[in-house]
Amino acid sequence: MYRTGHVGAALLLYTPLGVAVSLAGYEPVAVLGAVVAVSLSTIPDLDHQLPMIDHRGPTHTVAFAFVVGIALAGVAAMVVGTSSPAVDVGVVTFAFVVGTLSIGSHLLADAITPMGIRPFWPVSARHYTLNLTRAANPAANYLLLALGAGTALAGIGVVSVLG
């Protein structure tokens, strides 16, 4: 998929977490999480600019999703300066989930294309694809964006009513 599709996929996957965090009383954290999730959603495609790295290779794996989650958790651990270990653990865990989820959304969006992904490389070279649409299909990319944006708007509505 292209950037628009990946943004939509990130919103689609992040919204339930954002709603839960908002309803727990941490609306600014939920908004920040959404911004981070959307911002990271296209990171795997940086492999286009990396020499000797195949497109949809190492950056399109579950392991890479975990690496990004761990890196984001590390940044959160350095930034958070509270006196409560429970808050520290919650923020770091949230950062890990957002980072991993963001890359995971990218993998899921690419899995609907014929090229698919090899999410468990290098442990397994098995290729996964739903073969639903080409990555370059503008209609599919905008449909995914619309689904993500619609889900996010519905989430905002839920928070407005329940929060």
Side-chain angles (χ1 to χ4, degrees), residues 57-73:
T59 62
H60 286 70
T61 64
V62 172
F64 183 73
F66 285 137
V67 166
V68 171
I70 290 166
L72 193 58

Side-chain angles (χ1 to χ4, degrees), residues 45 55 83:
D45 284 340
H55 180 52
S83 59

Side-chain angles (χ1 to χ4, degrees), residues 64-142:
F64 183 73
F66 285 137
V67 166
V68 171
I70 290 166
L72 193 58
V75 169
M78 289 188 292
V79 170
V80 173
T82 67
S83 59
S84 168
V87 171
D88 290 351
V89 169
V91 170
V92 170
T93 301
F94 177 71
F96 172 78
V97 170
V98 169
T100 303
L101 179 140
S102 180
I103 303 305
S105 72
H106 187 104
L107 301 181
L108 290 173
D110 279 353
I112 69 172
T113 68
M115 187 175 177
I117 57 170
R118 292 176 295 144
F120 304 111
W121 179 92
V123 175
S124 170
R126 184 162 180 203
H127 178 257
Y128 293 87
T129 179
L130 293 176
N131 197 16
L132 295 177
T133 183
R134 295 178 305 107
N137 182 337
N141 278 281
Y142 283 109

